[in-house]
Amino acid sequence: MKRNRNSSFFEKKLLIEALKSSFVKLDPRNQLKNPVMFVVFVGAIFSTFMLFTNFSGFNLQIVIWLWFTSLFANFAEAIAEGRGKAQADSLRKLKTSVMARKMNGTKEVLVAATELRKGDVVVCEANDIIPIDGEIIEGIATVDESAITGESAPVIRESGGDRSAVTGGTVVLSDRVLIQVTCDPGDSFIDRMIALVEGAKRQKTPNEIALTILLSGLTIIFVLATVTLYPFFSYSVSQSATKISLTLPILISLLVCLIPTTIGGLLSAIGISGMDRLLARNVIAKSGRAVEAAGDIDVLLLDKTGTITFGNRMATEIVAANGVAEHYLAEITQMSSLSDDTPEGRSIVTLVKDKYNLRGRDLSGFHIESVPFTAQTRMSGVDIREKDGKLLKSIRKGAADSIKNYVEAAGNVYPEEIEKAVYQIANEGSTPLVVTENEKVLGVIRLKDVVKGGIKERFAQLRKMGIKTVMVTGDNPLTAASIAAEAGVDDFIAEAKPEDKLELIRIEQADGKLVAMIGDGTNDAPALAQANVGVAMNTGTQAAREAGNMVDLDSNPTKLIEIVEIGKQLLMTRGALTTFSIANDVAKYFAIIPAVFAGLYGFGGVNGPLSKLNIMHLQSPESAVLSSIIFNALIIIALIPLALKGIAYRPSGATQILRRNILIYGVGGLIVPFVGIKVIDLIINLLHFV
Amino acid sequence: MNYFDYLQVFVYLLLLVALTPLIGNYMFKVFDNKPFKAKGIFSWLETSIYKTIGLKPDSQQNWKQYAFALLSFNLLGFLFVFVLQLIQKQLPLNPQQLGNVSWPLAFNTAASFMTNTNWQSYAGETTLSYFTQLIGLTVQNFVSAATGFGVALVLIRGIRNKLNSQLGNFYVDLTRSVIYILLPLSILFSVVLIGQGVIQNLNAYKTVTTIEKNQQVIPQGPAASQIAIKQLGTNGGGFFNTNSAHPYENPTPLSNFLEMLAILLLPASFVYCFGKMIGSVKQGWYIYMTMFILFTVGLVISVYSEYHFSSGVFEGKELRFGTINSLIWENATTAASNGSVNAMHSSLSPLSALVALFNMMLGEIIFGGVGAGLYGMLIFVILTVFIAGLMVGRTPEYLGKKIEAFEVKMAIMGVIAPSFIILVFTAIACMTDAGLSSLSSKGPHGFSEMLYAFTSAGANNGSAFAGLNANTNFYNLMIGIGILVGRFGVIIPVLAIAGSLSEKKLIPVSSGTFRTDNFTFVFLLIAVILIVGALTFFPALSLGPIVEHILMITGKTF
């Protein structure tokens, strides 16, 4: 999908939309969803009514800031949703009314895409927009999926196999395919993506629910503490023979300051932005629950190909037989691969070019006949002939045992040192390719599965985070072990069948572990469904995309690691802001309690004994209360960017992460409001607000 | 403070820590039904009890069945003590011909002893017959402590169970607690106390002529047997009105020291037992350390306040043994939910009283009541793990169990129940003549009297501030209700948490797991306990002991 990646927090349009919906969200039904903010809402209504009976500039300011607190929390949620909405809008453009060429028996009928139903068959040719999600049942085509993935290179889609799914809104670039519709209108992939990013179907995740319960519990405790304050205060007033009063707006202010409004106001923004951050990395989570589970992952199931290695084996070395010059071997090797268009073949050409400085040779004077690889011969090569057809050279390369048969059939000796080299290369997890010239062995090429750069460090980080990595590969155990060791994964399954993945997931889950995997094929679907986090590649089959709880639009298997990190970051942000919010209360007590109790037991004086607790030296009781409530409201706004971006995350062990976050958000949460309230107190006194 | 004072504090803490693994290990063997040397001496009693009531010792209950057994057993105990008081005049062992107790007082006392609170609105020697004390109260002293063990054991089993709901059997836990732990230790301890001069008889009160030729009635009774369990079982209900300030309850410095030690002995050892039972002694010690730090800091504040701000003020303190013994006792008795006293807490300096109040307000989790201290602390552990655990980037878990919405809901209920009693009931007292007319002081100290009474009730401590006339219908009923809510409002959520944890998977530990066995966790746990406690009660405390303290240091009194 084409998204504006720079959609910053301050983008004007977004901001205006968010401002509008901050007011719309004052709807009591909406407020009820968040118990903490509901208390603020009710408090604001109460104090507004109090204004009619007991008007003062001070009370008016309290009322204003109470409403601001409510609005700021709404704004936080609105802006988080707004970012999703902007993305949804760009998706919606894909849904312009497309006409579909529906097959009616063998006849083609033109119908609107919205009239297609599951099971219908449509035909698409070059430059047609695929009207709706479906599965190719006949043909092969190149498809431009950039509208969804942002990737401009076209992809191949063909019937049968794991690349048969097509998405509505994408464009066929070449060829002709028959597509069977797999969903009804309104339920297509894009429809669901729109719903997801808009947050329309957003439900609270389990951890969010638990946190809401905790915050509501704390709110109940603070309601008890403030409500009982009134009788306690009345008793004390009656005992100290002073005439001071505790007004309802002040009590409400105290309550609003104490209840965890910071986290309460930002909680849903944090959740929405977690899914948003995934989206920014082109991953669509089908539920917030999946994002949360990502943070808990203990085991990552990674396909070797594409994740750990580049997917293609590459030539890294050539070994010459006795009596063969290495340079000559290089030359012959190069010739053997000149007409070999496979990635392996190209890598051989690259190797000799780089290592032996061999350019492509001018062979125009010869007749070159390439001998393609077949399953029977298990070798390939070239025959070089003179113009008259006389055979000059017959060059072959291939698997060791078939070359051995080939060489020995011609009555030549298969050298012992080559046998050894082959054995050693295979033993090290690489693939040996033996090169011959005129049925004589010249040497061996080492084809190696090359591990991606930096992947080992990535796995080391994961290990620190307590995540075990398991490599899944179809290779034999020997090859698998060698790559596993090189990449630094914790474990591997070799010669893996699709059922093995499912089995492994079951075993790990029985141990109480949470497993994440990425997959694309139909036979991956059961494992994707079983995994706690199953990421389906967008290139995969419809079945796989249905089974997983996330879809990676880039179809990049390394993404799994980022998904885990985003999950962790989401949970950390929630914990950090909760800690911050609760730690804030200490300072607010030291601001408000001395302010409202100052006159008690003062023996006529204004500054009674409890004014000693005014350690911030706030200038008056009114300014103390006002500063606290202003700080309380502004901190919500100040922390919106943090809630949307998530707190800084560096992969390391739990204890280090914890210590760092305690220091920043716990200790910081204790100190910041002392400074903030004092500063606000100075400002409002300077401006004579009280 | 002199060197002997320092030395005594040091020896007290040292002995407490030294005895912890010894007794704790013994408890572990008892509760996990492991063989130990002297088991044969008592096991016949255990098996014959099971035979009598027809119970299979390995039968299991789920949390609801356990809760039902616990509640019905406690209800029966309550009714028994309640009725006993109403008809004690017609029953034997009443040499003083003490009359029947009024129903509000009988309700208060029955609720109080059934819940291990042992708040006493009455004076033992002028209200209750020997029969009531022996058959009613002393029995409850044992079984209420055993109930505490039971609830904690269920929670431990819930933590270590894997996907099942078998949480043990209430009657088995009750029997084992009493037969192997409470009874032998109490017998041993009462013999030692008798050796020190604590009385144990069924005689009529003696009338003696004093040196000044006045007539004085000296109460008698089976004191030693009740005092041993009242100290060991964190009960605290004295045989005589002045509790352990009475020479017949606490005659010598040695008896005083041993009684102080007995207050914390079982709750402290049980934390070690917890570590053993969950298979990580280390986890146990870090919780122990949390409690120990909170206790020591409270003691230091209390001692500093007493010696620095009101030195030389001896009214109401334990003069025979010195002020320091009043302070250690005060801290121990309010930290553990014991409630026995050897000095009048009303006479402590305001900050000392603040520490006593705060110890209780935290929910009796600094060692706390027998069993109750541990499960109360584990509630805070759950809250801490939940808040801070998120900061490591995983959904929270404790000892391999995920902490989810249900656990959080129950834990927060367990925190709210006592807080509700303390704040709301004090507020009601503040607003009613019935509440205010019992006060003996004015100003902040009068407020402290009310606050202390309901704190003691809500936290199931049972100690009194002294001064407040609590034997009125208003206080008897309100405190009685407060006690019941404070006890079962915590026990039921804890059992529910155990039931929920029990059916969860055990998640293996990895380096990404939030660790609960290091100093960072101790720091966090203390922070959460103090902040939640302080935030809830700071306004109330500031109108009581805090303002009183500031008035005192500025030279103003009420």
Side-chain angles (χ1 to χ4, degrees):
Chain A
M1 120 193 54
K2 295 209 172 69
R3 267 184 313 270
N4 181 4
R5 298 274 169 100
N6 307 324
S7 66
S8 78
F9 169 56
F10 294 105
E11 199 181 299
K12 207 172 158 194
K13 196 180 149 215
L14 216 64
L15 226 53
I16 293 168
E17 277 297 312
L19 276 177
K20 257 192 249 163
S21 72
S22 315
F23 285 92
V24 176
K25 280 172 185 285
L26 283 177
D27 182 338
R29 279 167 301 179
N30 189 56
Q31 294 289 315
L32 251 177
K33 283 185 205 153
N34 186 337
V36 180
M37 295 318 294
F38 186 69
V39 171
V40 179
F41 180 69
V42 171
I45 292 176
F46 254 106
S47 9
T48 310
F49 278 113
M50 290 290 294
L51 275 184
F52 294 111
T53 56
N54 189 8
F55 186 85
S56 69
F58 171 67
N59 283 351
L60 177 67
Q61 290 186 66
I62 285 188
V63 168
I64 290 172
W65 283 104
L66 286 176
W67 282 114
F68 272 146
T69 313
S70 261
L71 288 172
F72 288 170
N74 290 347
F75 180 72
E77 192 180 81
I79 203 136
E81 284 172 353
R83 303 212 303 180
K85 276 207 182 87
Q87 285 157 343
D89 285 343
S90 68
L91 281 172
R92 208 169 264 129
K93 288 188 189 124
L94 295 175
K95 284 186 39 136
T96 45
S97 52
V98 178
M99 293 308 278
R101 297 158 61 183
K102 186 177 160 191
M103 295 298 286
N104 223 343
T106 49
K107 252 185 14 200
E108 244 182 69
V109 199
L110 217 57
V111 297
T114 45
E115 279 169 33
L116 291 173
R117 292 292 175 271
K118 216 173 188 167
D120 287 351
V121 177
V122 293
V123 63
C124 282
E125 277 178 322
N127 296 326
D128 280 351
I129 296 177
I130 295 173
I132 194 161
D133 294 4
E135 193 120 15
I136 296 183
I137 49 173
E138 195 187 306
I140 177 168
T142 49
V143 180
D144 174 12
E145 294 197 335
S146 62
I148 294 185
T149 61
E151 185 63 53
S152 56
V155 291
I156 306 267
R157 291 282 179 252
E158 61 187 319
S159 63
D162 288 345
R163 293 176 189 282
S164 60
V166 287
T167 310
T170 55
V171 182
V172 176
L173 293 180
S174 69
D175 306 284
R176 177 181 188 271
V177 284
L178 283 183
I179 299 167
Q180 183 160 40
V181 177
T182 51
C183 70
D184 292 330
D187 192 33
S188 73
F189 187 61
I190 290 192
D191 288 315
R192 276 181 292 159
M193 267 170 64
I194 292 170
L196 282 167
V197 295
E198 271 192 324
K201 282 192 191 160
R202 207 181 92 82
Q203 285 177 328
K204 282 186 181 166
T205 60
N207 177 262
E208 213 175 332
I209 292 171
L211 186 54
T212 307
I213 290 172
L214 177 79
L215 299 179
S216 310
L218 289 174
T219 306
I220 293 173
I221 289 177
F222 291 127
V223 168
L224 290 178
T226 31
V227 167
T228 54
L229 198 58
Y230 190 77
F232 295 171
F233 183 82
S234 306
Y235 166 85
S236 305
V237 168
S238 74
Q239 296 289 307
S240 64
T242 39
K243 274 197 179 144
I244 49 171
S245 57
L246 183 59
T247 64
L248 195 58
I250 290 186
L251 267 184
I252 291 172
S253 308
L254 177 63
L255 177 61
V256 168
C257 284
L258 293 180
I259 60 176
T261 48
T262 314
I263 178 68
L266 295 173
L267 190 55
S268 52
I270 296 171
I272 297 168
S273 68
M275 293 178 75
D276 226 45
R277 280 200 297 279
L278 274 180
L279 200 58
R281 284 169 181 77
N282 271 350
V283 176
I284 295 186
K286 293 194 189 163
S287 70
R289 185 189 279 260
V291 187
E292 215 166 67
D296 278 347
I297 291 303
D298 301 286
V299 180
L300 282 188
L301 226 55
L302 300 165
D303 273 322
K304 182 199 80 176
T305 310
T307 314
I308 295 167
T309 63
F310 282 107
N312 304 315
R313 288 171 300 184
M314 290 201 253
T316 54
E317 186 189 7
I318 52 174
V319 182
N322 286 348
V324 179
E326 207 173 298
H327 202 266
Y328 184 68
L329 172 64
E331 251 175 71
I332 296 301
T333 307
Q334 188 191 39
M335 286 186 215
S336 77
S337 304
L338 277 179
S339 53
D340 183 353
D341 229 11
T342 62
E344 281 95 350
R346 281 196 304 261
S347 80
I348 292 170
V349 176
T350 313
L351 174 76
V352 292
K353 189 173 88 185
D354 291 352
K355 210 168 169 186
Y356 301 96
N357 210 16
L358 287 175
R359 300 268 145 212
R361 297 178 50 155
D362 181 23
L363 291 168
S364 54
F366 303 94
H367 182 76
I368 301 200
E369 189 181 306
S370 75
V371 181
F373 178 88
T374 66
Q376 282 79 37
T377 59
R378 293 174 66 217
M379 55 178 116
S380 65
V382 288
D383 284 337
I384 302 176
R385 294 172 197 274
E386 300 264 14
K387 277 266 153 72
D388 55 9
K390 191 183 155 219
L391 184 70
L392 266 183
K393 266 181 191 160
S394 173
I395 301 172
R396 295 284 182 280
K397 65 171 195 284
D401 46 349
S402 48
I403 290 283
K404 191 176 178 184
N405 292 339
Y406 165 72
V407 169
E408 281 170 356
N412 290 325
V413 185
Y414 186 74
E416 204 176 316
E417 75 273 7
I418 290 297
E419 192 127 32
K420 268 188 197 156
V422 162
Y423 180 74
Q424 200 193 339
I425 289 170
N427 223 359
E428 286 165 11
S430 302
T431 310
L433 274 187
V434 183
V435 182
T436 62
E437 181 194 33
N438 301 336
E439 285 118 34
K440 278 187 208 119
V441 175
L442 291 188
V444 192
I445 309 170
R446 180 197 287 264
L447 284 180
K448 201 176 159 198
D449 223 352
V450 179
V451 171
K452 286 184 174 175
I455 201 87
K456 192 166 189 174
E457 291 69 29
R458 208 77 189 266
F459 289 151
Q461 283 176 353
L462 286 172
R463 200 167 303 116
K464 258 197 222 159
M465 288 153 58
I467 296 171
K468 182 175 139 186
T469 45
V470 181
M471 180 181 86
V472 183
T473 171
D475 292 346
N476 64 54
L478 212 61
T479 313
S482 128
I483 294 184
E486 195 181 343
V489 293
D490 298 303
D491 205 352
F492 66 88
I493 342 176
E495 286 166 358
K497 297 179 292 295
E499 314 83 89
D500 293 345
K501 281 190 191 174
L502 184 63
E503 188 56 30
L504 182 81
I505 293 174
R506 287 220 173 106
I507 291 169
E508 294 285 2
Q509 284 176 338
D511 275 351
K513 291 181 181 155
L514 267 67
V515 186
M517 71 164 281
I518 195 159
D520 56 358
T522 299
N523 47 22
D524 277 337
L528 279 171
Q530 179 73 27
N532 303 83
V533 174
V535 184
M537 293 201 230
N538 192 43
T539 54
T541 58
Q542 193 65 25
R545 297 202 306 206
E546 290 291 335
N549 46 17
M550 291 190 192
V551 177
D552 177 20
L553 299 176
D554 295 342
S555 305
N556 170 8
T558 326
K559 209 56 94 47
L560 207 47
I561 300 171
E562 284 174 54
I563 291 171
V564 169
E565 290 180 352
I566 289 171
K568 286 198 176 297
Q569 197 188 25
L570 170 79
L571 294 171
M572 279 162 57
T573 308
R574 237 179 241 163
L577 291 183
T578 306
T579 308
F580 184 84
S581 193
I582 296 172
N584 268 205
D585 279 4
V586 176
K588 292 171 189 165
Y589 260 135
F590 276 98
I592 298 184
I593 292 292
V596 297
F597 290 167
L600 288 178
Y601 302 109
F603 300 97
V606 186
N607 292 325
L610 284 171
S611 54
K612 276 200 190 292
L613 295 177
N614 182 7
I615 52 176
M616 282 181 268
H617 297 291
L618 303 178
Q619 309 200 8
S620 68
E622 287 79 16
S623 82
V625 173
L626 208 51
S627 311
S628 308
I629 190 95
I630 293 175
F631 175 84
N632 193 57
L634 290 182
I635 197 77
I636 297 179
I637 285 287
L639 290 175
I640 289 177
L642 187 70
L644 295 186
K645 266 196 320 201
I647 66 170
Y649 172 73
R650 241 177 269 152
S652 50
T655 309
Q656 280 145 288
I657 294 180
L658 182 66
R659 289 205 182 123
R660 199 166 147 261
N661 287 336
I662 293 172
L663 204 65
I664 300 176
Y665 299 98
V667 179
L670 280 176
I671 298 167
V672 167
F674 275 104
V675 179
I677 292 174
K678 177 71 189 170
V679 170
I680 296 171
D681 176 71
L682 290 175
I683 294 172
I684 59 179
N685 278 290
L686 205 68
L687 300 175
H688 297 290
F689 280 168
V690 286
Chain B
M1 255 181 112
N2 57 38
Y3 288 118
F4 289 109
D5 293 339
Y6 285 115
L7 190 66
Q8 199 189 332
V9 173
F10 179 72
V11 172
Y12 179 76
L13 296 176
L14 188 76
L15 259 179
L16 181 67
V17 176
L19 285 172
T20 293
L22 280 175
I23 308 274
N25 203 32
Y26 174 71
M27 285 175 163
F28 165 67
K29 285 178 176 163
V30 169
F31 290 134
D32 260 1
N33 206 17
K34 301 255 186 315
F36 53 92
K37 261 186 204 161
K39 194 168 186 174
I41 307 174
F42 305 103
S43 59
W44 61 270
L45 190 55
E46 189 191 354
T47 41
S48 59
I49 286 176
Y50 295 156
K51 251 182 213 152
T52 319
I53 59 170
L55 177 74
K56 281 187 196 133
D58 54 355
S59 66
Q60 297 283 328
Q61 294 171 320
N62 64 29
W63 82 265
K64 283 179 185 158
Q65 292 164 328
Y66 199 102
F68 181 75
L70 183 149
L71 290 176
S72 27
F73 180 82
N74 274 306
L75 178 68
L76 279 180
F78 166 82
L79 289 175
F80 181 71
V81 178
F82 183 61
V83 172
L84 207 58
Q85 293 174 85
L86 296 180
I87 57 167
Q88 67 170 0
K89 200 168 176 207
Q90 286 76 40
L91 296 172
L93 288 179
N94 189 357
Q96 293 310 116
Q97 292 299 304
L98 294 169
N100 291 335
V101 181
S102 74
W103 74 265
L105 178 58
F107 161 74
N108 181 288
T109 307
S112 166
F113 275 76
M114 178 259 288
T115 56
N116 199 261
T117 308
N118 306 43
W119 168 272
Q120 294 166 296
S121 287
Y122 61 92
E125 55 269 48
T126 58
T127 317
L128 298 181
S129 72
Y130 294 159
F131 191 79
T132 308
Q133 296 246 29
L134 277 174
I135 306 299
L137 303 192
T138 307
V139 170
Q140 286 303 315
N141 278 352
F142 281 95
V143 293
S144 66
T147 300
F149 274 135
V151 176
L153 287 171
V154 169
L155 186 53
I156 294 172
R157 291 179 193 128
I159 289 170
R160 65 181 189 183
N161 273 359
K162 201 173 165 182
L163 299 168
N164 73 48
S165 58
Q166 308 201 322
L167 290 165
N169 185 299
F170 173 70
Y171 298 104
V172 173
D173 291 341
L174 189 76
T175 311
R176 287 195 182 138
S177 307
V178 172
I179 288 178
Y180 295 112
I181 295 170
L182 298 169
L183 205 55
L185 282 174
S186 298
I187 292 172
L188 196 72
F189 191 36
S190 35
V191 169
V192 173
L193 287 177
I194 292 170
Q196 289 297 304
V198 177
I199 60 166
Q200 177 76 9
N201 62 47
L202 297 171
N203 299 340
Y205 296 175
K206 289 204 167 65
T207 308
V208 295
T209 310
T210 63
I211 310 169
E212 290 146 355
K213 308 279 183 224
N214 291 329
Q215 297 283 306
Q216 188 182 352
V217 179
I218 311 257
Q220 301 290 313
S225 58
Q226 189 176 323
I227 289 155
I229 184 66
K230 95 163 195 221
Q231 297 303 100
L232 285 166
T234 58
N235 295 289
F239 192 83
F240 304 109
N241 189 30
T242 51
N243 211 304
S244 282
H246 194 291
Y248 275 170
E249 280 205 37
N250 187 10
T252 66
L254 180 63
S255 74
N256 186 67
F257 186 83
L258 293 177
E259 285 180 23
M260 286 196 306
L261 193 62
I263 293 176
L264 293 182
L265 187 63
L266 294 189
S269 306
F270 191 58
V271 180
Y272 180 88
C273 170
F274 160 75
K276 283 285 261 190
M277 287 183 80
I278 58 161
S280 166
V281 178
K282 208 173 150 198
Q283 294 276 1
W285 276 121
Y286 278 98
I287 288 193
Y288 192 93
M289 197 184 305
T290 309
M291 295 173 163
F292 191 83
I293 291 171
L294 287 168
F295 178 74
T296 317
V297 170
L299 184 61
V300 167
I301 294 174
S302 191
V303 167
Y304 177 80
S305 159
E306 209 60 46
Y307 283 88
H308 191 261
F309 297 116
S310 50
S311 70
V313 181
F314 294 120
E315 186 273 326
K317 314 255 166 77
E318 178 50 276
L319 292 181
R320 293 175 300 158
F321 311 130
T323 307
I324 192 71
N325 277 298
S326 299
L327 294 174
I328 299 176
W329 192 302
E330 171 227 352
N331 275 280
T333 200
T334 52
S337 80
N338 188 290
S340 65
V341 291
N342 74 350
M344 297 304 114
H345 290 181
S346 172
S347 305
L348 297 167
S349 67
L351 286 188
S352 272
L354 174 89
V355 171
L357 273 166
F358 200 59
N359 278 343
M360 293 189 280
M361 284 167 170
L362 296 180
E364 297 298 17
I365 52 168
I366 309 171
F367 300 114
V370 171
L374 182 74
Y375 66 68
M377 182 55 105
L378 289 180
I379 285 184
F380 273 98
V381 168
I382 286 175
L383 293 180
T384 306
V385 161
F386 189 82
I387 298 170
L390 278 175
M391 282 197 287
V392 305
R394 285 172 73 97
T395 57
E397 61 201 48
Y398 178 57
L399 300 175
K401 291 294 173 98
K402 279 267 174 256
I403 305 299
E404 292 165 302
F406 184 76
E407 289 78 27
V408 171
K409 194 195 286 176
M410 290 300 133
I412 201 85
M413 271 171 65
V415 174
I416 291 177
S419 308
F420 176 85
I421 296 301
I422 296 170
L423 291 171
V424 175
F425 281 27
T426 308
I428 293 172
C430 274
M431 291 187 293
T432 50
D433 287 336
L436 294 172
S437 60
S438 284
L439 303 188
S440 68
S441 308
K442 285 185 158 58
H445 203 73
F447 180 73
S448 296
E449 286 177 9
M450 292 181 283
L451 183 64
Y452 197 104
F454 289 111
T455 303
S456 183
N460 287 175
N461 181 279
S463 68
F465 201 47
L468 185 82
N469 173 23
N471 193 6
T472 64
N473 286 352
F474 174 81
Y475 279 104
N476 275 332
L477 293 177
M478 291 287 280
I479 288 176
I481 294 166
I483 285 170
L484 293 175
V485 174
R487 175 78 162 179
F488 298 105
V490 181
I491 283 185
I492 292 170
V494 168
L495 291 177
I497 289 173
S500 163
L501 291 181
S502 184
E503 289 175 16
K504 290 189 182 192
K505 284 191 273 193
L506 263 177
I507 299 154
V509 176
S510 76
S511 62
T513 309
F514 176 69
R515 296 269 302 271
T516 51
D517 54 351
N518 58 23
F519 286 105
T520 313
F521 179 69
V522 172
F523 168 81
L524 273 173
L525 183 56
I526 291 178
V528 168
I529 291 169
L530 290 183
I531 290 180
V532 170
L535 292 180
T536 314
F537 298 110
F538 182 71
L541 288 171
S542 65
L543 291 175
I546 294 178
V547 72
E548 196 185 347
H549 172 77
I550 300 173
L551 284 169
M552 181 185 78
I553 56 174
T554 49
K556 291 174 186 131
T557 48
F558 264 81

